[in-house]
Each structure stands twice: as structure tokens, then as C-alpha cells.
Amino acid sequence: MKKIFALTYQRYLFREVMLGTLLVLVAFLVLFGFFDLIGELGDIGKGGFQFHHALVYVLLSLPGRAYELMPIAVLIGALYALSTLARHSEITVLRASGMSTRDLLGSLFRVAGVFALVTFLIGEFVAPPAEQMAQEVRLKAMGTVVAADFRTGLWVKDGQSFINVAQVLPDTRLLGIRIYEFDAQRHLVSVSDAKEGEYVPPDAWRLNGVVRTFVDNNGGRVQRLPSLTWKSALSPDILSVLLVVPERMSVINLVTYLKHLSVNHQKTQRYQIALWKKIIYPLAGFVMVALALPFGYTHDRVGGVSLRIFGGVMLGVFFHMLNGLFANLGVINSWPPFSSAVAPSALFLLAAGAMIWWVERR
């Protein structure tokens, strides 16, 4: 009989926390989507950018928002559900009937496991392509190129070659390409200029309007070609990092780009931190429900639920700020990437453990 009661209550708690979290997440997405749309209104009229472009851009950005806000929504949803149960003295009855803190935490972890899986799937398969599409819609409508902010264009190292690209279009076509090729002794071998380049899977680019200048002991020679196939490790996936910030890239793209940076002896700190955050971030839901559990043991009669919800919002905002802070400090101070990524969750987990210990001793 006790086992049947426990299973029934676990399902009830699972449903309440699940519904509360989904409600909070939808409310957050509506709120942030509205503010994002307001922020885009200032760019309407630039080039061909119109209101419907702004609306599509905001809608495509929502999966990335959902990924960022999921732990906060889990925290507030769990706080709301537990506070409601505490107000009706249901948690007191459960504890009196023999249900331990470990049992309650296990029930909450089941909900957190579902949202951890959803967070991972959104972050890996939904948010990155949606974010890239959003940037492409915005850039195409405004008639802007990706590398427009670089004074001398985009520079990429690929093996013994250095590539300078004047413009990278949203569809990853390249305009104004210059390739400096060096030998093993770092002597300049040739300089190739091309009007444009288009990717040809799996590992080549078709360059059009090519002028190659070979440098040798005789002074050099010039070769003009209507087109040229150029083999390179540079790919649209690597160029897509210009459209999507590291925190919203998929694990696969992060690993690919990290390999490219490592092979070419370039700094990888920021992308290593982003990779560890992508692995660890979905697990933040477990920390959030552990942090919410102690609030369910309190019995404030006046303003209890509203105060807990406010506290949950503040804790969620603080967690989000700490994530960004430790990532930036990790890059600046060259901290170990794993430590920079896990520190916010570890701190909140310690706080949750201390709070549970405190309420258990009361």
C-alpha cells in the first residue's frame, strides 16, 4: 500500500513540476521574444529589412532562448509546485508518512532528467541551425556581408597557407579571395587571387576569376585561370562560426572547429569552454531542483509563494550571470576550460546541499 501511495505521489509531483516549468518557459519566451522584437524595430528600413524579417528573425531565435532559459524555468517551476504543496501542508503529510528527502529529491530528479534531455536536444539539433537561419535572414534582408566588420576582411590559417577573404556571404560563398601559400621553410611560394569561391563537397572550393602569381628565384610568373579547384580543410561548417556564437553552436561543430584551430596552432580557449558548457549545461536542471527542494519545507503563510517565485527569478538570473562571468574570466585568465564551465553549477550545487542540510536539522 505504501509503495502504491509513493508511486501515485511521484506521478503527481512529476506532473505538477512539469506543468509549472512549461508554463514558466512559455511565459519567458513570450516576454523575451517581445523585447527582442522591440530591439529589432530600430533596424527596420535598413536595406530591405522589414517587419516580417524582424518577426522571422525573432521566431528563429526562440530555440536558442529556450536553451538558455531552461534551467531557470525548471527552478521556478519546481519552486512554484513545491511552494503550492507546502502551502497545503502536503509535503508535511508526506514526510510524516515516511517519505524522506532522498525520495522527494529522486522524484524531482526524474523531472530534471526529462528537461536535461530536452535541453540537450534543443542545444544540439534545433538551436544551432535555427540561429544560423536567423542570422542569414537578417543579413540577406539588410544586404550585409558577414565579414563587414573586419577592416582587412577575414583571415584564416589552413596548413601552410594563409587565406584572406574580403566578404563572406550568408550562404557561405566567398568574395575577394587571396591565398598566400608557403613551403615548409616558410618561404612564400605563390599568391592566388580569385573573384569568388563556392564550396564543392566534400573538401574543395571552386574559385572563379583566378590570377596566380608564383614566386621563384627567376622573379616569378603569372598564371590566369577562369576557374580553379582548391583543396582545403576550410568548410562552410567552419565559416558558420561567424554566424553563430560559440555558446549556441552544436557539439559536433565545436569539435570540428576546435580541431581546425588546433591543427593551425590557434587559440582554442573560448571554444573549449563553450564545448564543456554545452556538455554540462543540460545537467543544470538537476542542480535547480535540488536548490528548489528546501523551499518546499518552509511554511510561510503570507506571501509565501510569491516571495519564493521572486527568489527563484533572482537565483535564476544570478546563475545565468555567473555562467557568462566564469566563461569570460576563463578566457581572460586562461583558466582550465572544464573548471570555467562547471564552476557556476558546482557553486549552486554546494548551496543546494547546504540548504537541504540546514532544513533537515531544523
Side-chain angles (χ1 to χ4, degrees):
M1 187 69 181
K2 185 178 178 181
K3 185 179 290 186
I4 296 174
F5 171 76
L7 288 173
T8 302
Y9 189 76
Q10 285 175 0
R11 292 171 183 169
Y12 174 67
L13 183 60
F14 183 93
R15 185 179 70 250
E16 290 299 308
V17 177
M18 181 75 70
L19 291 175
T21 301
L22 291 176
L23 180 63
V24 172
L25 182 61
V26 170
F28 270 145
L29 290 179
V30 172
L31 181 63
F32 277 85
F34 174 75
F35 284 123
D36 287 344
L37 185 60
I38 295 297
E40 291 300 315
L41 293 181
D43 290 330
I44 291 179
K46 294 182 180 179
F49 193 71
Q50 301 299 325
F51 179 79
H52 66 277
H53 294 122
L55 186 61
V56 171
Y57 172 79
V58 170
L59 290 175
L60 289 172
S61 300
L62 287 182
R65 287 289 189 191
Y67 176 80
E68 293 175 351
L69 295 169
M70 190 70 76
I72 304 176
V74 171
L75 172 62
I76 299 174
L79 276 173
Y80 177 78
L82 291 171
S83 299
T84 302
L85 297 178
R87 186 179 59 183
H88 297 151
S89 300
E90 293 179 67
I91 291 183
T92 303
V93 172
L94 285 170
R95 297 187 72 191
S97 65
M99 183 170 283
S100 65
T101 298
R102 180 180 295 180
D103 295 331
L104 284 170
L105 197 57
S107 298
L108 292 173
F109 277 174
R110 290 184 180 90
V111 187
V114 172
F115 282 109
L117 178 61
V118 172
T119 303
F120 174 79
L121 292 175
I122 292 175
E124 186 67 15
F125 301 107
V126 182
E131 182 72 15
Q132 186 169 346
M133 289 174 61
Q135 297 295 339
E136 289 178 359
V137 167
R138 194 174 192 277
L139 291 172
K140 286 180 179 179
M142 297 180 70
T144 308
V145 295
V146 176
D149 292 336
F150 294 88
R151 183 173 297 178
T152 58
L154 169 68
W155 286 91
V156 180
K157 184 177 183 294
D158 180 23
Q160 299 295 329
S161 301
F162 289 85
I163 302 100
N164 176 236
V165 181
Q167 297 177 352
V168 182
L169 299 181
D171 59 2
T172 67
R173 285 187 299 117
L174 311 179
L175 300 180
I177 308 161
R178 175 166 289 182
I179 304 169
Y180 298 87
E181 297 181 60
F182 293 82
D183 59 19
Q185 289 72 40
R186 299 182 180 178
H187 297 145
L188 183 63
V189 175
S190 67
V191 179
S192 301
D193 291 281
K195 292 182 179 179
E196 63 177 3
E198 185 176 354
Y199 188 66
V200 180
D203 60 352
W205 291 82
R206 184 172 61 249
L207 307 180
N208 298 320
V210 181
V211 177
R212 301 189 72 185
T213 303
F214 294 91
V215 180
D216 53 34
N217 295 329
N218 297 323
R221 58 188 176 87
V222 177
Q223 182 183 30
R224 299 180 184 275
L225 300 169
S227 64
L228 174 69
T229 299
W230 170 47
K231 294 275 187 177
S232 174
L234 189 66
S235 68
D237 288 337
I238 292 175
L239 290 174
S240 68
V241 302
L242 297 171
L243 296 173
V244 182
V245 295
E247 291 73 20
R248 293 193 179 180
M249 292 171 61
S250 67
V251 171
I252 294 174
N253 285 343
L254 279 170
V255 170
T256 301
Y257 193 61
L258 277 169
K259 288 181 179 177
H260 173 79
L261 293 176
S262 298
V263 167
N264 291 284
H265 307 289
Q266 294 177 279
K267 291 184 178 180
T268 61
Q269 183 80 4
R270 183 185 179 191
Y271 293 92
Q272 286 181 338
I273 293 174
L275 177 60
W276 279 113
K277 283 181 67 176
K278 290 290 291 189
I279 296 172
I280 295 168
Y281 195 74
L283 303 178
F286 293 96
V287 180
M288 295 297 106
V289 295
L291 194 64
L293 180 58
F295 290 90
Y297 288 172
T298 58
H299 302 277
D300 300 327
R301 294 182 178 274
V302 181
V305 176
S306 59
L307 285 176
R308 293 188 190 101
I309 296 301
F310 177 76
V313 172
M314 293 298 100
L315 284 172
V317 171
F318 186 53
F319 176 77
H320 186 71
M321 291 173 61
L322 275 185
N323 259 304
L325 176 64
F326 274 88
N328 291 328
L329 288 177
V331 173
I332 294 171
N333 300 309
S334 298
W335 290 348
F338 177 78
S339 300
S340 302
V342 79
S345 296
L347 289 174
F348 269 63
L349 185 60
L350 287 174
M355 292 173 65
I356 291 174
W357 174 82
W358 181 71
V359 296
E360 282 282 277
R361 287 177 58 90
R362 289 178 60 186

